[in-house]
Amino acid sequence: MKKVITLLFALLVVSLAEAQPKEAWKTAVTLTAYDANGVPIYSGKSFFIDESGIVVAPYTPFVKAVRAEVVDASGKHYAVTRILGASENYGFVRLATEAKGVKFLVPIADSTQAAQVGTKLFVVGYQMNKKEVPVSVTVQKAERYDAAMYYTTSLGGETKYIGCPLINASGKVVAVVGSHAGEALDIRLATALYITANSALSRELRILPMQKALPDDAGEAVKYVTLLDAIDPKTALLAMNDYIATYPEDATGYVMRATRLSALGYYEEASADFVAAQRFAANGSSPDAVHYAYSRCLYATSVRDSTAAAKGWTLKRAYEEATAAQQMNPQPHYLLQQATCLFEMERYSEAYAKYQEVNATELASDETYFATMLALERAGGDTAQIFALLDKVISLQQRPYNQRSATYFFERAQRLVAYGQYRKAVNDYDEFERIIGPRNLNDTFYYMREQAELQAHMYQQALDDIQSAILSTTPERKPYYQTEEALIYLSCGEYESAKTIGNEALATLPNYIPLLRILAVAYGETGNKAKARELLTRAKTLGDDTADELLKKFE
């Protein structure tokens, strides 16, 4: 009987040895993750999946991990260098390590080798040697899961096996032991995790503190870094470093990093990157494009940081870089950059001329015409030309009008008021109100329009607007608007109403000269000259130079 048992055990060992590669244990590693304080927060099993030292691991520990390492079967330690992909849903991260030239690997099973219910699989664990009998498990349930498989095995709640590979009788990895009792997930779910350009927007990746790898394709990598820069500039800077390390002769990486460094105030380093970008401009960019990028960066920095000029980051240099770009390869947007720099340098006549050049190209738009108008206006240009440019801006607006359209109507209205064209100004204010909506307007707008309406002798409209201003203003400003309302009543001969509103305001503003003057006239026009003189005398005492002239009228 003893011989029979011995024979059966020997056959079992032979069977298992044949079912696994003899040195499968050599691919297993122990993975340890550490938090920001250097405290280990996870230690578990993993394994190399290719010769470059890539491993897969559970997702959850890496939500807090800032560093990780693996120890292979020979006891060598390798740092985890980058996250290559992650899925919170699948519960996997794919990691790059410093290990290179991994000699022994267990091959990955393909879709035709999925395990079936009843299939026996074997656990490959760290430090298992060739003399030990591997742990076997049976597949109890096999379910389709996102074009892969989800298994329930007989392993139960053995947490020490989490992260270990399960290999089949052909010696290929079929699944990875999951974190729930008996759970095993198709290995293909882990090996298919990669970084793409859109990964920059992925929450499940962004919440992992460790640095992520770039997409394999250079174009995708540029898109990834660009998206990341808008969301997480600090992490993006590390990604830019990776891009430059991967593509050291591609100008694109240097331009991206220079732009980010300048935003952080590292002007010398940014300048050095732009110099490098010029050196490699034929790769991934063109010399004129690098000059243009440098110009935009210099401009933005000069406008944002007044101290940058001391380090050579000036608007003059921004203009020179834009000019260099234009001379190398004439383009409308280079002209526009020149114009923008000239305007900011207050060289308005030159800016106007340059904007006019832009307007002769396909880049002409309502924005370029508006900038042209501003440059001409500040250069002291012809009023008729200024309004012609404003009219051109308005003519380029498409219905339904939008917020930008509203701004242009408002701008024209203010200039029409300044040049005494009050009724036209009111029309533009009316259009502004229609676009913005009355609910989005405040007392300041109503007061501005009322001023134009009053000058245009549109008394009813002026009265409606000042009353709207009163209803939407603060208690502190209300009496000033009431003074304006009293003036409207006075202007259209409604003296009693002017007195009523004026006296209400006077209770709060007893020494407000314009109000005293309005009330004096209202009282004088209704026969109460004594009251008119009293109010005007008070105004004179307070410094009103016009009071004497009015006092003569009511003697």
Side-chain angles (χ1 to χ4, degrees):
M1 184 66 176
K2 184 177 180 180
K3 291 181 179 180
V4 172
I5 293 174
T6 302
L7 178 60
L8 288 173
F9 180 76
L11 290 172
L12 175 62
V13 172
V14 171
S15 175
L16 292 179
E18 291 173 351
Q20 286 187 293
K22 293 181 180 179
E23 297 179 318
W25 58 277
K26 289 185 179 180
T27 196
V29 298
T30 290
L31 183 143
T32 304
Y34 303 85
D35 66 13
N37 297 316
V39 177
I41 56 175
Y42 172 80
S43 183
K45 305 297 186 291
S46 186
F47 59 102
F48 292 121
I49 61 173
D50 74 2
E51 63 276 2
S52 66
I54 295 174
V55 299
V56 295
Y59 176 91
T60 303
F62 286 85
V63 173
K64 294 184 179 180
V66 299
R67 181 174 70 86
E69 66 174 8
V70 299
V71 182
D72 70 10
S74 66
K76 291 183 179 179
H77 292 244
Y78 301 101
V80 172
T81 56
R82 292 290 185 271
I83 292 174
L84 301 173
S87 171
E88 186 176 13
N89 185 35
Y90 298 156
F92 285 131
V93 290
R94 197 168 68 94
L95 307 169
T97 72
E98 289 180 337
K100 296 293 182 286
V102 176
K103 294 180 180 179
F104 186 84
L105 295 168
V106 179
I108 304 297
D110 61 31
S111 59
T112 66
Q113 297 167 314
Q116 306 299 319
V117 174
T119 299
K120 187 165 287 188
L121 302 174
F122 306 99
V123 182
V124 176
Y126 178 66
Q127 289 184 335
M128 183 177 71
N129 60 54
K130 61 184 178 180
K131 294 181 180 180
E132 292 177 329
V133 177
V135 174
S136 65
V137 299
T138 302
V139 175
Q140 297 175 332
K141 186 184 292 185
E143 302 172 282
R144 182 65 55 185
Y145 188 72
D146 284 357
M149 298 299 294
Y150 176 87
Y151 301 106
T152 302
T153 73
S154 60
L155 195 59
E158 292 281 2
T159 58
K160 65 181 180 179
Y161 296 119
I162 293 173
C164 288
L166 296 178
I167 66 174
N168 61 18
S170 300
K172 294 185 177 181
V173 180
V174 173
V176 181
V177 177
S179 58
H180 300 293
E183 173 190 64
L185 295 170
D186 196 322
I187 181 60
R188 291 174 296 152
L189 294 174
T191 57
L193 296 175
Y194 286 89
I195 304 291
T196 67
N198 287 333
S199 295
L201 307 175
S202 169
R203 173 192 167 276
E204 60 189 353
L205 271 168
R206 294 204 329 266
I207 64 175
L208 305 182
M210 289 183 63
Q211 181 69 358
K212 290 78 181 175
L214 294 174
D216 293 334
D217 177 75
E220 282 285 292
V222 171
K223 294 176 185 176
Y224 170 79
V225 173
T226 303
L227 286 172
L228 192 61
D229 195 36
I231 300 167
D232 186 355
K234 182 178 178 181
T235 302
L237 184 58
L238 297 175
M240 291 168 191
N241 292 339
D242 279 357
Y243 188 92
I244 291 171
T246 307
Y247 308 102
E249 295 186 357
D250 184 344
T252 305
Y254 295 101
V255 170
M256 290 192 298
R257 189 170 69 179
T259 304
R260 174 46 50 200
L261 286 171
S262 68
L264 296 172
Y266 297 108
Y267 302 127
E268 291 182 12
E269 293 86 347
S271 293
D273 271 352
F274 275 119
V275 170
Q278 284 291 356
R279 188 163 64 250
F280 302 119
N283 303 320
S285 189
S286 58
D288 56 290
V290 174
H291 281 297
Y292 176 60
Y294 199 5
S295 175
R296 286 172 60 85
C297 201
L298 285 162
Y299 174 85
T301 300
S302 299
V303 171
R304 183 189 68 250
D305 182 2
S306 60
T307 68
K311 298 178 181 179
W313 282 60
T314 63
L315 287 166
K316 182 175 180 292
R317 281 188 65 198
Y319 175 71
E320 290 169 350
E321 290 293 326
T323 301
Q326 177 67 6
Q327 289 172 344
M328 286 182 177
N329 182 19
Q331 295 291 330
H333 53 284
Y334 298 162
L335 283 174
L336 180 58
Q337 179 66 8
Q338 287 178 293
T340 303
C341 292
L342 288 167
F343 187 93
E344 195 64 32
M345 285 190 286
E346 300 182 4
R347 293 162 59 175
Y348 297 121
S349 294
E350 295 172 79
Y352 167 73
K354 195 65 69 173
Y355 278 126
Q356 287 287 57
E357 290 185 54
V358 175
N359 291 335
T361 72
E362 69 273 15
L363 208 60
S365 68
D366 55 350
E367 291 179 295
T368 64
Y369 277 106
F370 188 72
T372 307
M373 182 278 298
L374 289 175
L376 181 61
E377 184 177 57
R378 297 190 185 187
D382 179 70
T383 302
Q385 286 182 278
I386 290 171
F387 277 105
L389 286 165
L390 273 171
D391 293 343
K392 177 66 175 180
V393 171
I394 296 293
S395 72
L396 290 173
Q397 302 310 298
Q398 294 184 349
R399 294 180 183 273
Y401 293 141
N402 56 25
Q403 182 80 36
R404 193 165 77 192
S405 304
T407 300
Y408 293 143
F409 279 107
F410 188 82
E411 291 284 344
R412 189 170 68 176
Q414 289 187 303
R415 286 164 178 80
L416 287 167
V417 167
Y419 286 97
Q421 299 184 49
Y422 302 113
R423 285 188 176 270
K424 288 183 177 180
V426 170
N427 290 336
D428 276 355
Y429 280 133
D430 289 346
E431 193 63 62
F432 176 83
E433 180 185 35
R434 278 190 288 272
I435 299 167
I436 298 298
R439 289 185 298 179
N440 299 313
L441 298 173
N442 57 23
D443 57 308
T444 301
F445 169 77
Y446 289 117
Y447 173 71
M448 291 177 70
R449 188 167 64 179
E450 175 268 338
Q451 290 284 285
E453 290 163 338
L454 186 60
Q455 292 293 334
H457 306 296
M458 301 167 69
Y459 297 121
Q460 186 57 56
Q461 293 94 321
L463 188 60
D464 291 341
D465 272 342
I466 204 63
Q467 288 173 347
S468 293
I470 290 169
L471 290 173
S472 56
T473 195
T474 62
E476 293 77 17
R477 297 181 70 176
K478 180 179 177 180
Y480 294 100
Y481 289 145
Q482 287 179 315
T483 299
E484 192 69 19
E485 183 181 9
L487 177 61
I488 296 169
Y489 282 125
L490 186 67
S491 299
C492 56
E494 295 188 27
Y495 303 120
E496 293 300 329
S497 295
K499 288 192 290 184
T500 300
I501 296 299
N503 281 315
E504 186 178 338
L506 194 65
T508 305
L509 301 175
N511 297 319
Y512 187 40
I513 292 174
L515 178 58
L516 292 170
R517 194 184 304 127
I518 290 167
L519 277 171
V521 173
Y523 275 106
E525 292 295 334
T526 54
N528 193 342
K529 294 184 178 181
K531 183 67 174 178
R533 288 194 297 272
E534 176 193 332
L535 292 166
L536 289 169
T537 300
R538 191 195 309 178
K540 181 179 178 181
T541 303
L542 293 169
D544 184 8
D545 294 335
T546 66
D548 282 335
E549 192 66 31
L550 286 172
L551 279 168
K552 292 177 184 178
K553 180 179 180 179
F554 299 120
E555 288 178 352

